Amino acid sequence: MSIPRALSIAGSAARGGAGIQADLKTFQEMDVFGLSAITAIVANHPRTDQGVFPIAFDAIEAQVYTALRDIGADAIKTGMLFTEEIITHVAKWIEESGTPNIVVDPVMIGKMGSALLKDDAIEAVKTKLIPLATIITPNMPEAARLLETEQQLTSVDDLKQAAAELQKLGPKYVLVKGGRLEGPAVDVLFDGEKFHLLEAPRIDTIHTNGAGCSYSAAITAQLAKGKSVQEAVEEAKKFITAAIRHSITFKRGVGPTYHAAYQKYGETGVNVTVEK
Ligand code: PXL
């Protein structure tokens, strides 16, 4: 027996809702066999200020090598890569692997405030990693940062313009996520010609920790299953909208989305329109 496989190269989020943990939970929900390579551990030390614990470079290389050698991947997702050195090597490994579906989530700052990417590493994301991507999935601040503009995005038109600009960096598709817009949660998918607007009702909650990770993990899982990028993003939008609608409040801080929600309750509130 064989099932589709997806490898996540990302940080470990001890809180369980974001990073590698979100990716593996999402892959499982979609019946995709999840593999992982952990780049850093995100957790708050009780007696120091330390919140990010990097993993030795050799250990990262060993995880990617072992996962791809013994299992293989139909899709690879990158999340928190943290340093320029990691980005440069991950780009090389992705290229050498010949994996057909590459999802780059250019994570920069976590919802609990952790710095997930060093400032001097953004250039490597733009020039080495993004050109290899089937799809990149920035949120609004990440899109502005990648475009090196001080101007924040505030409207659907801004998202469309940013998506078209970001596509010039070389990915096949760009999904700019409008989670921070006023009004409905509209995401813009650009394929180089057309804009696909994915609209869901805004859900009034602060508990969206890991929403971005889980959304792009769902896209990765769908691509691993052989879906087109449009189909993958549409299914993933339904998945994440349900996960946010049923997000969880635990003891402290921004709570996680609920990965089982789409399977359990379904989602009907997502609309897709296509514009030239
Ligand atoms: O959601 C962004 C993110 C990505 N990766 C890791 C994280 C977070 C947010 O907390 O911890 C490891």
Side-chain angles (χ1 to χ4, degrees):
M1 191 199 126
S2 185
I3 68 168
R5 306 145 297 177
L7 166 63
S8 168
I9 307 174
S12 167
R15 300 172 86 256
I20 286 272
Q21 285 79 0
D23 294 347
L24 293 177
K25 290 174 191 184
T26 303
F27 295 162
Q28 186 67 24
E29 283 298 321
M30 297 193 157
D31 197 16
V32 165
F33 190 85
L35 317 171
S36 63
I38 299 176
T39 56
I41 291 171
V42 177
N44 301 113
H45 191 275
R47 289 179 301 282
T48 71
D49 280 344
Q50 194 169 356
V52 172
F53 298 78
I55 298 287
F57 179 75
D58 278 354
I60 301 171
E61 183 171 22
Q63 293 172 86
V64 174
Y65 172 74
T66 304
L68 293 177
R69 182 197 62 187
D70 293 356
I71 310 296
D74 301 295
I76 297 177
K77 178 197 158 183
T78 66
M80 174 185 185
L81 297 178
F82 201 43
T83 66
E84 186 187 347
E85 183 191 26
I86 301 175
I87 293 158
T88 303
H89 285 87
V90 164
K92 185 167 115 313
W93 299 331
I94 284 176
E95 224 171 358
E96 287 169 1
S97 76
T99 307
N101 302 296
I102 307 297
V103 178
V104 173
D105 189 20
V107 292
M108 294 178 189
I109 299 174
K111 290 223 176 65
M112 293 295 287
S114 313
L116 305 174
L117 183 70
K118 296 200 162 165
D119 283 342
D120 62 6
I122 290 184
E123 203 48 36
V125 172
K126 287 172 66 172
T127 58
K128 295 182 177 160
L129 196 59
I130 287 181
L132 305 178
T134 309
I135 180 168
I136 63 170
T137 60
N139 60 27
M140 293 157 64
E142 287 159 357
R145 193 73 207 279
L146 288 169
L147 291 171
E148 290 168 55
T149 152
E150 299 290 311
Q151 198 85 32
Q152 285 305 315
L153 320 180
T154 57
S155 66
V156 175
D157 275 346
D158 290 350
L159 265 57
K160 288 167 73 175
Q161 199 181 337
E165 284 295 315
L166 286 168
Q167 218 242 352
K168 294 181 189 156
L169 295 174
K172 287 203 188 76
Y173 290 77
V174 178
L175 178 70
V176 183
K177 299 172 294 185
R180 288 161 175 81
L181 290 170
E182 305 261 328
V186 178
D187 306 328
V188 173
L189 175 68
F190 184 59
D191 61 13
E193 280 181 19
K194 293 186 293 301
F195 296 98
H196 304 247
L197 273 52
L198 297 100
E199 180 174 330
R202 177 152 309 278
I203 297 157
D204 185 22
T205 178
I206 61 156
H207 300 298
T208 57
N209 175 232
C213 306
S214 307
Y215 192 179
S216 50
I219 296 169
T220 310
Q222 293 297 323
L223 292 176
K225 290 174 126 170
K227 296 286 164 57
S228 71
V229 173
Q230 283 93 335
E231 289 169 332
V233 172
E234 201 170 316
E235 185 69 3
K237 176 76 167 171
K238 292 178 187 166
F239 173 86
I240 198 59
T241 303
I244 295 172
R245 192 181 299 288
H246 300 279
S247 67
I248 314 171
T249 316
F250 286 123
K251 286 169 64 182
R252 181 182 181 280
V254 179
T257 72
Y258 184 33
H259 296 97
Y262 184 45
Q263 289 259 29
K264 241 177 162 166
Y265 309 116
E267 180 62 48
T268 51
V270 176
N271 273 313
V272 183
T273 52
V274 183
E275 295 176 10
K276 262 284 186 201

